[in-house]
Amino acid sequence: FSFFRPDLTICVADALREGHEEHFYPGEVNIRMADIVIINKVNSLPSIAQAKNQEERIHALIKSDVPVLFGNSIVTPEARDNTNMKLLNDTEVDKLVRGKRVLVIDDGPTLTHGGMPFGAGSVLAKQMGADEIVDPHPFAKGSLVGVFTKFEHLDNVLPAMGYSEEQIRDLEDTVRSVDCDAVITGTPINLQNVITMTKPCVRARYCLQLDNKNMDLMKLALGPFIIHST
């Protein structure tokens, strides 16, 4: 967290990891320092009741006047032509995934010590109607074999491990060897800038969406911190 004392601290909690804000450092510190808390990915839950349970747990950690908002994570696809790097239109991107066999690569820390079995790439693959999400286990190379052994909860998803040159090389070799039609990445960075891909790549982009009620609460909470120029 910041070495500077902020005027406003917004902390984002993950609706798919209820309770993590109580058990991890510096997550609990961030929650306790927050002026606004947003529970994101509520649209990925089977029931809004789960988010409300998480809200109650968070209220036990924060100051009484701190608002807890609900947000949705909206996942959309982005892809470029491999020859000229121009953005493809929605129809062109859809053809790369719908009815196809795809490899999903999601954020490494999220999938490993973060404990998640899937990420934004997996969400996008299902959302776009992929015929099959290919199991990367049989194709794992080098250090990634050990990653799959250690993190047994990982199924049809490849964690983007790149903490060393060796891991980056192993990731590239694994991706190259997977028998699939396209690759979907859900990593914060553009993996195509890190490894060379020989198959079409669709990148999952995501943004926060607040409904009218939660947007009004956000505006109210931000009010004291906004300086209006005249």
Side-chain angles (χ1 to χ4, degrees):
F1 40 89
S2 176
F3 289 101
F4 299 95
R5 183 174 181 178
D7 296 318
L8 172 69
T9 299
I10 300 175
C11 184
V12 179
D14 190 336
L16 297 174
R17 287 183 272 188
E18 178 185 353
H20 280 213
E21 56 277 347
E22 302 173 46
H23 303 297
F24 292 91
Y25 176 87
E28 183 178 351
V29 174
N30 292 332
I31 281 282
R32 291 183 180 275
M33 292 175 59
D35 299 296
I36 301 171
V37 176
I38 301 175
I39 301 177
N40 194 25
K41 305 181 187 175
V42 172
N43 56 322
S44 293
L45 297 176
S47 169
I48 191 67
Q50 188 172 331
K52 292 180 178 178
N53 289 338
Q54 186 175 12
E55 179 185 17
E56 290 181 9
R57 297 175 69 164
I58 289 174
H59 273 301
L61 301 173
I62 60 179
K63 295 170 285 188
S64 60
D65 60 341
V66 172
V68 178
L69 313 182
F70 289 177
N72 296 326
S73 182
I74 305 302
V75 183
T76 55
E78 178 185 287
R80 294 179 180 272
D81 188 308
N82 285 336
T83 58
N84 54 30
M85 298 310 293
K86 288 185 178 180
L87 284 171
L88 302 180
N89 61 41
D90 292 345
T91 301
E92 292 169 327
V93 177
D94 188 75
K95 288 180 179 179
L96 296 178
V97 177
R98 189 167 303 280
K100 301 295 180 63
R101 301 174 69 252
V102 300
L103 167 68
V104 172
I105 309 173
D106 269 321
D107 180 51
T110 298
L111 298 179
T112 54
H113 54 265
M116 285 291 292
F118 66 91
S122 300
V123 172
L124 184 64
K126 295 175 182 178
Q127 182 177 297
M128 294 186 68
D131 182 61
E132 179 187 351
I133 299 177
V134 178
D135 180 6
H137 284 70
F139 306 95
K141 306 297 182 184
S143 57
L144 280 169
V145 175
V147 170
F148 280 127
T149 300
K150 181 176 181 180
F151 300 99
E152 297 179 354
H153 67 282
L154 297 179
D155 193 7
N156 292 351
V157 62
L158 178 64
M161 307 300 291
Y163 295 104
S164 66
E165 290 185 6
E166 178 188 6
Q167 283 189 327
I168 292 174
R169 185 171 58 251
D170 292 341
L171 178 63
E172 182 172 293
D173 290 344
T174 299
V175 173
R176 284 175 177 267
S177 66
V178 174
D179 179 18
C180 63
D181 300 311
V183 177
I184 295 180
T185 65
T187 55
I189 66 167
N190 186 353
L191 270 185
Q192 289 181 291
N193 293 333
V194 180
I195 64 175
T196 300
M197 297 191 192
T198 57
K199 300 178 179 70
C201 179
V202 178
R203 188 178 177 191
R205 306 305 300 265
Y206 32 91
C207 65
L208 173 68
Q209 179 193 69
L210 299 176
D211 62 19
N212 291 336
K213 175 185 175 182
N214 283 281
M215 181 61 76
D216 289 343
L217 291 172
M218 173 66 89
K219 291 177 180 177
L220 186 64
L222 291 176
F225 299 94
I226 296 176
I227 299 175
H228 298 280
S229 59
T230 56

